[in-house]
Amino acid sequence: MSKVIRVAKLDLATILQQQNPTIDLRIDAFEESTRNFRNAVALYSQGAMTEITRRKNEFAARKSEYAKRTKQVENETNACKVRELELMKVLEREQEERKEAETSVAAFRRQLASIKETCASLDVEIEQRRAVVENLKRERNRERTILNGYASQVSPELLELERRLQCYIEGIDKDKILVRFSHVDPHDTSREFSFVIDVSSRAYKVPTTTPYLPTLPMLVDELNESRDVFAFIKQMRQAFYHLVTDGR
């Protein structure tokens, strides 16, 4: 700490009464005081400059750190914005998919409701048809019982007629009748003659005969005109007989 020099008050009247008035300006003390002041100012300036430099460096370091941090925050902000845009797109897509899913679910629900109504209607129809089938089964069983009763009475008579006429009739395949004759050939009574009548359509057909009859087309035409199957069977037997006898 610099020393403070206190200057005594001047008594101007006393000085002026002197023969050679003089005033002690104390230049040495002033110069010393001035040097001390300048040294103090220099020390202060040096300290101030050091402090300013320190603070400047510290400010620059902080500024650089803040700039780096700001850049990082900007990058993170930009990344967040990009991510936000992506998420918004994803959200929009999910909303669209949700709307589509809701639309599909609504359509499926309508279809399910329609299917349930159809199933309910079909269940009713099935029950009705089942009842009809049961009635038909009962009716068929009743008819079968009646037919079996008739067959038990007719079978012996039919066998006797077949034996006497030497003509045998049986169903083969669907809508086809096989007719077989024996005792047609006087020289070989065991030889069999046969033909098949197809009654599946309006126009009768004879797909096979054994043996072949040249007059078969004409006989079939007459059958389709007369619609008399029993007369046709008689004509076929006569045609086989003439085939055998005329051939000899």
Side-chain angles (χ1 to χ4, degrees):
M1 184 176 178
S2 60
K3 181 179 180 182
V4 179
I5 302 175
R6 295 183 179 275
V7 180
K9 292 182 179 182
L10 295 176
D11 187 359
L12 187 58
T14 303
I15 294 172
L16 290 175
Q17 290 177 1
Q18 294 178 1
Q19 185 175 0
N20 294 316
T22 59
I23 298 175
D24 187 4
L25 297 177
R26 298 188 181 184
I27 298 301
D28 296 336
F30 174 74
E31 290 178 355
E32 183 181 358
S33 176
T34 299
R35 283 194 302 270
N36 292 335
F37 176 75
R38 289 176 64 185
N39 292 333
V41 170
L43 290 175
Y44 177 79
S45 298
Q46 185 178 359
M49 289 300 294
T50 302
E51 182 65 21
I52 289 171
T53 301
R54 184 187 66 79
R55 292 185 180 184
K56 181 180 179 181
N57 293 335
E58 183 178 351
F59 175 76
R62 290 183 180 179
K63 183 178 179 181
S64 177
E65 182 67 23
Y66 289 155
K68 186 185 297 183
R69 181 59 180 168
T70 301
K71 186 65 176 178
Q72 182 179 357
V73 171
E74 289 178 354
N75 293 335
E76 292 177 355
T77 302
N78 293 332
C80 289
K81 288 182 179 179
V82 173
R83 181 60 178 167
E84 181 182 6
L85 293 175
E86 293 176 354
L87 291 176
M88 289 180 65
K89 291 181 180 179
V90 173
L91 181 60
E92 291 177 358
R93 185 167 62 252
E94 289 180 351
Q95 289 177 349
E96 292 178 357
E97 292 176 354
R98 179 180 178 182
K99 290 181 181 179
E100 293 177 357
E102 289 176 351
T103 302
S104 300
V105 169
F108 286 142
R109 286 178 177 174
R110 289 192 296 270
Q111 292 179 1
L112 180 60
S114 177
I115 292 172
K116 286 183 178 179
E117 292 179 359
T118 304
C119 289
S121 176
L122 290 175
D123 289 339
V124 174
E125 185 176 354
I126 288 172
E127 290 299 325
Q128 293 175 350
R129 291 182 180 273
R130 187 172 294 167
V132 172
V133 169
E134 291 297 328
N135 291 333
L136 290 175
K137 284 182 178 180
R138 286 193 293 269
E139 184 67 20
R140 180 175 295 177
N141 291 333
R142 186 180 68 82
E143 292 177 353
R144 183 176 296 163
T145 301
I146 294 173
L147 291 175
N148 289 335
Y150 288 156
S152 62
Q153 298 174 4
V154 172
S155 292
E157 297 177 2
L158 178 61
L159 293 175
E160 181 62 21
L161 288 174
E162 288 180 343
R163 186 186 65 79
R164 289 186 179 184
L165 297 174
Q166 297 301 320
C167 175
Y168 305 92
I169 301 174
E170 60 181 309
I172 58 170
D173 203 356
K174 184 178 181 181
D175 299 326
K176 291 182 180 179
I177 299 173
L178 172 63
V179 181
R180 296 181 294 114
F181 299 113
S182 63
H183 293 76
V184 175
D185 187 348
H187 301 282
D188 186 2
T189 57
S190 62
R191 181 183 178 186
E192 187 175 89
F193 298 79
S194 65
F195 65 93
V196 175
I197 304 177
D198 185 350
V199 295
S200 60
S201 62
R202 174 68 180 172
Y204 294 136
K205 299 176 184 177
V206 179
T208 60
T209 64
T210 303
Y212 175 73
L213 284 174
T215 58
L216 178 63
M218 181 178 62
L219 296 174
V220 173
D221 291 339
E222 292 178 2
L223 169 63
N224 285 312
E225 289 179 2
S226 65
R227 314 296 296 174
D228 190 344
V229 176
F230 295 105
F232 175 72
I233 293 174
K234 292 180 181 179
Q235 292 173 351
M236 289 293 292
R237 184 182 182 93
Q238 291 175 359
F240 282 131
Y241 176 76
H242 289 304
L243 178 67
V244 171
T245 57
D246 292 346
R248 290 194 173 89

